[in-house]
Amino acid sequence: MLTAIVLIDSDAARIPEVAAAIADLPGVSEVYSVTGEVDLIAMVRVREHDDLADVIADKVSKVEGVLRTQTYIAFRTYSQHDLEQAFALGLED
């Protein structure tokens, strides 16, 4: 499973509509409206590398109101659950 974090600049008047349209796309697991330099952050999860282009370049970027995207591909996932398991290693009696 590949995960991409997509930062999205949107037409400010259409942020809720843009977020909803992106959230409905196959491969998009979540969309967050955020503060800061971008308007939205989308989490894209796909099985194959080529699927990233299908979702991001061919679908997300073409949603009406999307002005610009910037994509980061995750190498490794660290979650609170993973960290708790790592710290628990060797602590059992």
Side-chain angles (χ1 to χ4, degrees):
M1 179 70 66
L2 296 168
T3 300
I5 300 96
V6 185
L7 308 182
I8 303 163
D9 290 322
S10 171
D11 175 353
R14 296 188 36 82
I15 291 173
E17 294 84 1
V18 171
I22 293 170
D24 286 341
L25 296 173
V28 176
S29 60
E30 302 122 81
V31 178
Y32 300 96
S33 176
V34 297
T35 61
E37 295 185 25
V38 298
D39 301 307
L40 301 168
I41 297 177
M43 302 300 293
V44 174
R45 292 185 171 89
V46 295
R47 292 199 181 278
E48 303 290 329
H49 191 268
D50 289 343
D51 296 335
L52 289 173
D54 293 338
V55 175
I56 299 165
D58 295 340
K59 293 185 177 75
V60 171
S61 294
K62 294 181 181 173
V63 168
E64 185 177 344
V66 170
L67 304 176
R68 186 172 24 269
T69 64
Q70 187 173 16
T71 302
Y72 295 86
I73 298 173
F75 292 127
R76 208 172 270 141
T77 301
Y78 299 92
S79 69
Q80 189 63 34
H81 183 264
D82 294 336
L83 294 174
E84 287 172 4
Q85 286 183 338
F87 286 121
L89 293 175
L91 297 179
E92 296 179 22
D93 292 326

